[in-house]
Protein backbone atom coordinates (compact mmCIF):
# COMPACT_ATOMS: atom_id res chain seq x y z
CA UNK A 1 0.00 0.00 0.00
CA UNK A 2 1.21 3.47 -0.81
CA UNK A 3 1.51 5.72 2.20
CA UNK A 4 0.25 9.29 1.93
CA UNK A 5 -0.34 12.19 4.27
CA UNK A 6 -3.90 13.47 4.75
CA UNK A 7 -4.44 17.17 5.52
CA UNK A 8 -7.72 18.98 6.02
CA UNK A 9 -7.54 22.57 4.76
CA UNK A 10 -9.58 25.15 6.64
CA UNK A 11 -8.87 28.09 4.42
CA UNK A 12 -7.93 28.46 0.74
CA UNK A 13 -4.53 30.03 1.37
CA UNK A 14 -3.28 27.07 3.42
CA UNK A 15 -4.65 24.56 0.86
CA UNK A 16 -2.74 26.32 -1.92
CA UNK A 17 0.41 26.49 0.18
CA UNK A 18 0.29 22.78 1.08
CA UNK A 19 -0.10 21.68 -2.55
CA UNK A 20 2.26 24.24 -4.07
CA UNK A 21 5.24 23.08 -2.08
CA UNK A 22 4.85 19.40 -3.02
CA UNK A 23 4.60 18.36 -6.70
CA UNK A 24 3.04 15.03 -5.67
CA UNK A 25 0.31 16.58 -3.51
CA UNK A 26 -3.32 16.66 -4.71
CA UNK A 27 -6.45 18.51 -3.67
CA UNK A 28 -9.22 16.12 -2.65
CA UNK A 29 -12.83 17.12 -3.40
CA UNK A 30 -15.55 14.46 -3.94
CA UNK A 31 -12.87 11.81 -4.47
CA UNK A 32 -14.88 10.01 -7.18
CA UNK A 33 -12.03 10.21 -9.69
CA UNK A 34 -8.91 10.68 -7.58
CA UNK A 35 -9.54 7.78 -5.19
CA UNK A 36 -10.20 5.38 -8.10
CA UNK A 37 -6.93 6.44 -9.71
CA UNK A 38 -5.08 5.96 -6.43
CA UNK A 39 -6.54 2.47 -5.96
CA UNK A 40 -5.35 1.51 -9.43
CA UNK A 41 -1.88 2.96 -8.90
CA UNK A 42 -2.30 5.47 -11.73
CA UNK A 43 -1.80 8.41 -9.39
CA UNK A 44 0.36 8.05 -6.29
CA UNK A 45 0.10 11.21 -4.20
CA UNK A 46 2.37 11.77 -1.25
CA UNK A 47 -0.19 14.13 0.23
CA UNK A 48 -3.93 14.72 -0.05
CA UNK A 49 -5.27 18.13 0.87
CA UNK A 50 -8.97 17.82 1.63
CA UNK A 51 -10.66 21.00 0.44
CA UNK A 52 -14.24 20.05 1.35
CA UNK A 53 -14.39 22.56 4.21
CA UNK A 54 -13.45 25.57 2.10
CA UNK A 55 -16.14 28.21 1.44
CA UNK A 56 -16.83 27.32 -2.21
CA UNK A 57 -20.26 25.70 -1.91
CA UNK A 58 -22.55 28.51 -3.05
CA UNK A 59 -24.27 29.44 -6.28
CA UNK A 60 -24.49 33.23 -6.41
CA UNK A 61 -26.26 35.62 -8.74
CA UNK A 62 -23.98 38.34 -10.14
CA UNK A 63 -25.11 41.35 -12.22
CA UNK A 64 -23.75 39.70 -15.38
CA UNK A 65 -24.19 36.00 -14.65
CA UNK A 66 -23.87 33.19 -12.13
CA UNK A 67 -20.94 32.26 -9.94
CA UNK A 68 -20.85 28.59 -9.04
CA UNK A 69 -18.47 27.60 -6.25
CA UNK A 70 -15.93 24.87 -7.03
CA UNK A 71 -17.32 22.63 -4.29
CA UNK A 72 -20.96 22.72 -5.35
CA UNK A 73 -21.93 19.14 -6.13
CA UNK A 74 -22.84 18.22 -9.69
CA UNK A 75 -26.39 17.37 -8.44
CA UNK A 76 -26.84 20.75 -6.78
CA UNK A 77 -25.70 22.56 -9.93
CA UNK A 78 -28.04 20.53 -12.16
CA UNK A 79 -31.00 20.99 -9.77
CA UNK A 80 -30.45 24.68 -9.01
CA UNK A 81 -33.38 26.87 -10.06
CA UNK A 82 -30.89 29.60 -11.02
CA UNK A 83 -29.02 27.21 -13.31
CA UNK A 84 -32.19 25.70 -14.77
CA UNK A 85 -33.53 29.18 -15.58
CA UNK A 86 -30.35 30.76 -16.95
CA UNK A 87 -28.26 27.81 -18.12
CA UNK A 88 -30.48 24.77 -18.72
CA UNK A 89 -27.89 23.38 -21.15
CA UNK A 90 -25.58 22.91 -18.16
CA UNK A 91 -28.28 21.07 -16.17
CA UNK A 92 -28.96 18.76 -19.11
CA UNK A 93 -25.27 18.00 -19.63
CA UNK A 94 -24.59 17.24 -15.97
CA UNK A 95 -27.65 15.00 -15.70
CA UNK A 96 -26.42 13.04 -18.73
CA UNK A 97 -23.31 12.03 -16.78
CA UNK A 98 -22.47 9.30 -14.27
CA UNK A 99 -25.21 8.28 -11.78
CA UNK A 100 -27.21 10.17 -9.11
CA UNK A 101 -24.91 8.84 -6.37
CA UNK A 102 -21.79 9.99 -8.21
CA UNK A 103 -23.31 13.37 -9.06
CA UNK A 104 -24.08 13.87 -5.35
CA UNK A 105 -20.38 13.44 -4.50
CA UNK A 106 -18.71 14.94 -7.59
CA UNK A 107 -17.89 18.65 -7.49
CA UNK A 108 -17.57 21.34 -10.15
CA UNK A 109 -13.80 21.66 -9.60
CA UNK A 110 -13.31 17.87 -9.69
CA UNK A 111 -15.36 17.52 -12.84
CA UNK A 112 -13.28 20.18 -14.61
CA UNK A 113 -10.16 18.28 -13.57
CA UNK A 114 -11.28 14.68 -14.16
CA UNK A 115 -8.77 12.55 -16.05
CA UNK A 116 -9.32 10.70 -19.31
CA UNK A 117 -10.95 7.26 -19.40
CA UNK A 118 -8.49 5.93 -21.98
CA UNK A 119 -7.87 2.28 -20.94
CA UNK A 120 -4.12 2.67 -21.56
CA UNK A 121 -4.05 5.51 -19.01
CA UNK A 122 -5.87 3.35 -16.45
CA UNK A 123 -3.75 0.19 -16.88
CA UNK A 124 -0.30 0.68 -15.38
CA UNK A 125 1.08 -2.36 -17.26
CA UNK A 126 0.52 -0.64 -20.64
CA UNK A 127 2.33 2.28 -22.30
CA UNK A 128 0.76 5.72 -21.88
CA UNK A 129 2.50 9.06 -22.45
CA UNK A 130 -0.09 10.81 -20.30
CA UNK A 131 0.54 8.61 -17.26
CA UNK A 132 4.25 8.00 -17.90
CA UNK A 133 5.77 10.51 -20.36
CA UNK A 134 8.00 8.83 -22.92
CA UNK A 135 6.45 5.36 -22.54
CA UNK A 136 4.48 5.60 -25.81
CA UNK A 137 0.80 5.75 -26.70
CA UNK A 138 -0.79 2.29 -26.55
CA UNK A 139 -4.05 3.57 -28.04
CA UNK A 140 -2.49 4.89 -31.25
CA UNK A 141 -2.31 1.39 -32.74
CA UNK A 142 -4.36 -0.37 -30.09
CA UNK A 143 -7.99 -0.37 -28.97
CA UNK A 144 -8.97 3.18 -29.87
CA UNK A 145 -12.74 3.00 -30.17
CA UNK A 146 -13.41 5.75 -27.58
CA UNK A 147 -10.68 8.05 -28.83
CA UNK A 148 -10.22 11.48 -30.41
CA UNK A 149 -11.05 12.53 -33.95
CA UNK A 150 -9.95 16.16 -33.48
CA UNK A 151 -6.78 17.78 -32.18
CA UNK A 152 -4.87 14.59 -31.26
CA UNK A 153 -1.10 14.18 -31.54
CA UNK A 154 1.14 11.17 -32.14
CA UNK A 155 1.81 11.29 -28.39
CA UNK A 156 -1.80 10.94 -27.23
CA UNK A 157 -5.25 10.38 -28.73
CA UNK A 158 -7.23 10.36 -25.47
CA UNK A 159 -10.40 12.39 -24.96
CA UNK A 160 -11.74 14.52 -22.14
CA UNK A 161 -14.61 12.43 -20.74
CA UNK A 162 -16.69 15.15 -19.10
CA UNK A 163 -20.24 16.12 -20.05
CA UNK A 164 -20.30 19.24 -17.85
CA UNK A 165 -17.21 20.65 -19.57
CA UNK A 166 -18.87 20.51 -22.99
CA UNK A 167 -21.80 22.67 -21.84
CA UNK A 168 -19.42 25.04 -20.06
CA UNK A 169 -17.43 25.41 -23.28
CA UNK A 170 -20.59 26.27 -25.24
CA UNK A 171 -21.64 28.75 -22.53
CA UNK A 172 -18.28 30.59 -22.42
CA UNK A 173 -17.56 29.85 -18.76
CA UNK A 174 -14.61 31.38 -16.92
CA UNK A 175 -12.74 29.23 -14.41
CA UNK A 176 -11.56 31.20 -11.36
CA UNK A 177 -8.46 29.99 -9.58
CA UNK A 178 -6.34 31.02 -6.66
CA UNK A 179 -2.65 30.15 -6.56
CA UNK A 180 0.69 30.96 -4.98
CA UNK A 181 0.91 34.05 -7.21
CA UNK A 182 -2.65 35.25 -6.60
CA UNK A 183 -6.03 34.85 -8.29
CA UNK A 184 -6.88 34.75 -11.99
CA UNK A 185 -9.76 33.89 -14.31
CA UNK A 186 -9.18 31.45 -17.18
CA UNK A 187 -11.63 31.36 -20.11
CA UNK A 188 -12.75 27.74 -20.45
CA UNK A 189 -11.40 27.68 -24.02
CA UNK A 190 -7.92 28.10 -22.53
CA UNK A 191 -8.41 25.86 -19.50
CA UNK A 192 -8.17 22.40 -21.10
CA UNK A 193 -5.28 21.65 -23.48
CA UNK A 194 -4.67 19.63 -26.59
CA UNK A 195 -2.06 16.91 -26.01
CA UNK A 196 0.69 18.12 -28.36
CA UNK A 197 4.11 17.07 -27.09
CA UNK A 198 3.03 17.18 -23.43
CA UNK A 199 0.01 14.91 -23.05
CA UNK A 200 0.69 14.57 -19.33
CA UNK A 201 -0.80 18.07 -18.95
CA UNK A 202 -4.59 18.08 -19.19
CA UNK A 203 -5.00 21.78 -18.50
CA UNK A 204 -3.23 25.10 -18.00
CA UNK A 205 -3.38 25.23 -14.19
CA UNK A 206 -0.05 26.07 -12.59
CA UNK A 207 1.37 24.16 -9.64
CA UNK A 208 -0.73 24.72 -6.52
CA UNK A 209 -3.56 26.55 -8.26
CA UNK A 210 -6.95 25.81 -6.73
CA UNK A 211 -10.22 26.23 -8.62
CA UNK A 212 -12.48 28.43 -6.52
CA UNK A 213 -15.48 29.00 -8.82
CA UNK A 214 -16.83 29.05 -12.33
CA UNK A 215 -18.65 32.07 -13.75
CA UNK A 216 -21.23 31.83 -16.51
CA UNK A 217 -22.28 35.00 -18.34
CA UNK A 218 -26.03 35.49 -18.92
CA UNK A 219 -27.05 35.12 -22.55
CA UNK A 220 -30.00 34.40 -24.79
CA UNK A 221 -29.00 30.74 -24.99
CA UNK A 222 -31.47 29.48 -22.39
CA UNK A 223 -34.49 28.56 -24.52
CA UNK A 224 -33.55 26.57 -27.60
CA UNK A 225 -30.99 24.04 -26.52
CA UNK A 226 -30.07 20.37 -26.45
CA UNK A 227 -27.35 18.25 -24.94
CA UNK A 228 -27.41 14.97 -26.83
CA UNK A 229 -25.11 12.23 -25.60
CA UNK A 230 -24.58 9.00 -27.52
CA UNK A 231 -23.11 6.14 -25.49
CA UNK A 232 -22.99 2.37 -25.34
CA UNK A 233 -25.59 2.19 -22.53
CA UNK A 234 -28.24 4.79 -21.75
CA UNK A 235 -26.89 5.45 -18.29
CA UNK A 236 -23.65 5.22 -16.38
CA UNK A 237 -21.47 5.37 -19.48
CA UNK A 238 -19.13 7.95 -20.95
CA UNK A 239 -19.93 9.69 -24.23
CA UNK A 240 -18.87 8.18 -27.52
CA UNK A 241 -19.93 11.54 -28.89
CA UNK A 242 -22.02 14.32 -27.40
CA UNK A 243 -23.28 17.55 -28.92
CA UNK A 244 -24.20 20.66 -26.94
CA UNK A 245 -26.33 23.04 -28.97
CA UNK A 246 -27.81 26.38 -27.91
CA UNK A 247 -29.54 28.62 -30.43
CA UNK A 248 -30.62 32.23 -30.14
CA UNK A 249 -33.63 32.25 -32.44
CA UNK A 250 -35.71 35.12 -33.74
CA UNK A 251 -38.67 33.40 -35.31
CA UNK A 252 -37.14 30.87 -37.68
CA UNK A 253 -33.86 32.79 -38.00
CA UNK A 254 -30.74 31.75 -36.10
CA UNK A 255 -29.31 34.98 -34.68
CA UNK A 256 -26.43 33.09 -33.09
CA UNK A 257 -25.47 29.49 -32.37
CA UNK A 258 -23.29 27.89 -29.73
CA UNK A 259 -22.03 24.43 -30.58
CA UNK A 260 -19.62 22.13 -28.77
CA UNK A 261 -18.85 18.43 -28.84
CA UNK A 262 -17.66 15.94 -26.25
CA UNK A 263 -15.97 12.57 -26.68
CA UNK A 264 -14.07 13.78 -29.72
CA UNK A 265 -10.97 15.59 -28.43
CA UNK A 266 -8.57 16.06 -25.52
CA UNK A 267 -10.64 19.13 -24.60
CA UNK A 268 -14.30 20.05 -25.02
CA UNK A 269 -14.44 20.87 -28.72
CA UNK A 270 -16.07 24.12 -29.85
CA UNK A 271 -17.40 24.21 -33.41
CA UNK A 272 -16.75 27.87 -34.25
CA UNK A 273 -16.80 27.55 -38.06
CA UNK A 274 -20.18 25.81 -37.95
CA UNK A 275 -21.48 28.50 -35.55
CA UNK A 276 -20.36 31.17 -37.99
CA UNK A 277 -22.09 29.37 -40.86
CA UNK A 278 -25.41 29.18 -38.99
CA UNK A 279 -25.44 32.88 -38.04
CA UNK A 280 -28.38 34.57 -39.79
CA UNK A 281 -29.51 31.32 -41.48
CA UNK A 282 -33.00 29.83 -41.30
CA UNK A 283 -33.77 26.80 -39.18
CA UNK A 284 -33.71 24.03 -41.77
CA UNK A 285 -32.54 20.46 -42.24
CA UNK A 286 -30.32 21.57 -45.13
CA UNK A 287 -28.56 24.23 -43.06
CA UNK A 288 -28.05 21.82 -40.17
CA UNK A 289 -26.51 19.25 -42.50
CA UNK A 290 -24.16 21.85 -44.00
CA UNK A 291 -23.18 23.05 -40.52
CA UNK A 292 -22.33 19.47 -39.53
CA UNK A 293 -20.23 19.03 -42.66
CA UNK A 294 -18.31 22.21 -41.78
CA UNK A 295 -17.91 21.06 -38.16
CA UNK A 296 -16.23 17.84 -39.30
CA UNK A 297 -13.46 19.53 -41.31
CA UNK A 298 -10.09 18.26 -40.14
CA UNK A 299 -11.51 15.18 -38.37
CA UNK A 300 -9.23 12.15 -38.41
CA UNK A 301 -10.14 8.69 -37.16
CA UNK A 302 -8.05 5.67 -36.12
CA UNK A 303 -8.61 1.95 -36.71
CA UNK A 304 -11.54 1.39 -34.33
CA UNK A 305 -13.20 4.81 -34.13
CA UNK A 306 -13.98 5.32 -37.83
CA UNK A 307 -17.66 5.18 -36.86
CA UNK A 308 -17.26 8.54 -35.08
CA UNK A 309 -16.80 10.24 -38.46
CA UNK A 310 -20.49 9.49 -39.09
CA UNK A 311 -21.75 9.47 -35.53
CA UNK A 312 -20.40 12.95 -34.70
CA UNK A 313 -22.12 14.87 -37.53
CA UNK A 314 -25.33 12.85 -37.07
CA UNK A 315 -25.35 13.63 -33.34
CA UNK A 316 -24.85 17.32 -34.07
CA UNK A 317 -27.65 17.37 -36.67
CA UNK A 318 -30.08 15.62 -34.31
CA UNK A 319 -29.14 17.95 -31.44
CA UNK A 320 -29.73 20.96 -33.75
CA UNK A 321 -33.14 19.54 -34.70
CA UNK A 322 -34.08 19.12 -31.03
CA UNK A 323 -32.81 22.58 -30.02
CA UNK A 324 -34.67 24.29 -32.85
CA UNK A 325 -37.87 22.35 -32.22
CA UNK A 326 -37.98 20.51 -35.53
CA UNK A 327 -37.53 17.17 -33.77
CA UNK A 328 -38.74 15.80 -30.45
CA UNK A 329 -36.09 15.29 -27.78
C1 LIG B 1 -18.38 5.04 -12.69
C2 LIG B 1 -18.22 6.49 -13.06
C3 LIG B 1 -18.95 6.98 -14.13
C4 LIG B 1 -18.82 8.33 -14.50
N1 LIG B 1 -19.53 8.81 -15.55
C5 LIG B 1 -19.38 10.09 -15.95
C6 LIG B 1 -20.05 10.61 -17.08
O1 LIG B 1 -20.81 9.92 -17.74
N2 LIG B 1 -19.84 11.92 -17.40
C7 LIG B 1 -19.01 12.73 -16.68
O2 LIG B 1 -18.86 13.89 -17.02
N3 LIG B 1 -18.33 12.25 -15.62
C8 LIG B 1 -18.50 10.97 -15.24
N4 LIG B 1 -17.80 10.49 -14.18
C9 LIG B 1 -16.74 11.32 -13.60
C10 LIG B 1 -17.20 12.18 -12.47
O3 LIG B 1 -17.96 13.24 -13.01
C11 LIG B 1 -15.91 12.70 -11.83
O4 LIG B 1 -15.33 11.61 -11.15
C12 LIG B 1 -16.17 13.83 -10.87
O5 LIG B 1 -16.73 14.94 -11.53
C13 LIG B 1 -14.89 14.28 -10.18
O6 LIG B 1 -15.22 15.20 -9.17
P1 LIG B 1 -14.71 15.00 -7.67
O7 LIG B 1 -15.17 16.17 -6.91
O8 LIG B 1 -15.11 13.66 -7.14
O9 LIG B 1 -13.16 15.06 -7.92
P2 LIG B 1 -11.94 14.35 -7.14
O10 LIG B 1 -11.93 12.91 -7.47
O11 LIG B 1 -11.93 14.74 -5.71
O12 LIG B 1 -10.74 15.08 -7.85
C14 LIG B 1 -10.45 14.88 -9.21
C15 LIG B 1 -9.22 15.73 -9.56
O13 LIG B 1 -9.55 17.10 -9.48
C16 LIG B 1 -8.66 17.79 -8.61
N5 LIG B 1 -9.47 18.83 -7.96
C17 LIG B 1 -10.67 18.64 -7.35
N6 LIG B 1 -11.16 19.83 -6.95
C18 LIG B 1 -10.26 20.77 -7.31
C19 LIG B 1 -10.21 22.20 -7.19
N7 LIG B 1 -11.18 22.90 -6.60
N8 LIG B 1 -9.11 22.85 -7.69
C20 LIG B 1 -8.11 22.15 -8.30
N9 LIG B 1 -8.12 20.81 -8.43
C21 LIG B 1 -9.18 20.13 -7.96
C22 LIG B 1 -8.15 16.71 -7.67
O14 LIG B 1 -6.88 17.05 -7.13
C23 LIG B 1 -8.07 15.52 -8.60
O15 LIG B 1 -6.87 15.57 -9.35
C24 LIG B 1 -17.94 9.17 -13.77
C25 LIG B 1 -17.22 8.67 -12.68
C26 LIG B 1 -17.36 7.34 -12.33
C27 LIG B 1 -16.56 6.83 -11.15
Amino acid sequence: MNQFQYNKANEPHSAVKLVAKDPDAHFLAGGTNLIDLMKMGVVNPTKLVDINHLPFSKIEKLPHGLRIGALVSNSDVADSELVKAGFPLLSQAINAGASPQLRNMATVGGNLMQRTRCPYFFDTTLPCNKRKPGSGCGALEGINRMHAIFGASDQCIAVNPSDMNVAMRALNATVHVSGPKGARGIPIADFHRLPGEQPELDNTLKNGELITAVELPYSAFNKNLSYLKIRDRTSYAFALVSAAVALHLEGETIKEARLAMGGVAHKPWRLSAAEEFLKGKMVSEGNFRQAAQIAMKGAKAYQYNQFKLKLAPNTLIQSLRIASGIAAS
Side-chain angles (χ1 to χ4, degrees):
M1 192 186 127
N2 288 321
Q3 303 266 336
F4 60 88
Q5 210 185 79
Y6 170 85
N7 300 260
K8 194 158 93 181
N10 292 315
E11 43 109 17
H13 178 70
S14 61
V16 167
K17 218 165 139 186
L18 279 165
V19 168
K21 64 182 181 195
D22 181 348
D24 292 319
H26 286 254
F27 298 118
L28 175 68
T32 61
N33 189 215
L34 181 57
I35 302 296
D36 276 358
L37 294 171
M38 287 170 67
K39 285 191 214 159
M40 298 179 83
V42 176
V43 177
N44 298 298
T46 48
K47 189 191 287 170
L48 290 187
V49 178
D50 185 342
I51 57 172
N52 283 289
H53 296 86
L54 300 184
F56 304 144
S57 299
K58 277 198 201 137
I59 300 182
E60 294 165 279
K61 227 172 157 171
L62 305 174
H64 58 275
L66 273 195
R67 185 178 172 91
I68 304 175
L71 287 168
V72 181
S73 73
N74 285 186
S75 301
D76 284 349
V77 176
D79 294 345
S80 153
E81 291 305 326
L82 291 173
V83 174
K84 285 196 282 188
F87 307 95
L89 183 67
L90 181 60
S91 290
Q92 275 193 15
I94 290 176
N95 280 331
S99 64
Q101 292 89 340
L102 280 160
R103 294 195 295 269
N104 286 342
M105 287 304 292
T107 64
V108 167
N111 199 326
L112 281 164
M113 297 290 287
Q114 67 170 291
R115 310 300 309 270
T116 184
R117 293 279 157 172
C118 174
Y120 296 88
F121 176 72
F122 265 79
D123 187 335
T124 56
T125 64
L126 298 174
C128 171
N129 286 322
K130 182 178 280 300
R131 177 174 30 78
K132 192 173 174 199
S135 62
C137 172
L140 206 52
E141 300 200 346
I143 305 299
N144 45 35
R145 183 171 172 273
M146 297 290 289
H147 291 72
I149 52 171
F150 292 112
S153 74
D154 58 4
Q155 299 288 310
C156 178
I157 61 170
V159 299
N160 184 303
S162 169
D163 294 295
M164 183 193 84
N165 295 348
V166 184
M168 287 201 175
R169 182 82 206 265
L171 294 167
N172 283 350
T174 299
V175 182
H176 287 271
V177 305
S178 179
K181 294 194 175 148
R184 65 185 178 122
I186 311 168
I188 187 117
D190 302 329
F191 183 82
H192 297 102
R193 297 178 66 254
L194 289 178
E197 295 296 310
Q198 280 189 295
E200 68 276 18
L201 302 178
D202 292 344
N203 55 60
T204 54
L205 278 193
K206 302 206 172 90
N207 186 32
E209 280 188 323
L210 172 70
I211 301 169
T212 53
V214 169
E215 281 184 19
L216 295 166
Y218 287 129
S219 67
F221 295 103
N222 61 346
K223 288 186 190 71
N224 290 94
L225 53 105
S226 154
Y227 184 78
L228 182 61
K229 175 176 177 179
I230 308 297
R231 47 191 152 170
D232 288 325
R233 296 185 303 262
T234 47
S235 87
Y236 210 50
F238 290 89
L240 290 166
V241 169
S242 67
V245 170
L247 302 174
H248 178 191
L249 296 181
E250 219 169 57
E252 294 287 290
T253 306
I254 302 166
K255 283 200 78 180
E256 222 181 316
R258 295 279 183 81
L259 312 173
M261 270 189 196
V264 296
H266 197 258
K267 62 191 285 184
W269 195 248
R270 186 80 176 255
L271 309 171
S272 308
E275 288 178 1
E276 203 47 47
F277 168 79
L278 285 173
K279 210 175 189 167
K281 298 273 192 324
M282 298 299 287
V283 166
S284 79
E285 181 71 17
N287 283 333
F288 293 166
R289 286 183 178 274
Q290 273 196 62
Q293 215 173 28
I294 292 166
M296 292 305 291
K297 278 202 181 125
K300 177 188 165 196
Y302 299 86
Q303 186 176 1
Y304 295 106
N305 69 350
Q306 295 285 334
F307 70 95
K308 286 195 182 185
L309 296 179
K310 275 196 179 164
L311 184 64
N314 286 344
T315 307
L316 178 62
I317 293 165
Q318 181 63 4
S319 200
L320 279 160
R321 290 180 188 133
I322 296 167
S324 64
I326 65 173
S329 53

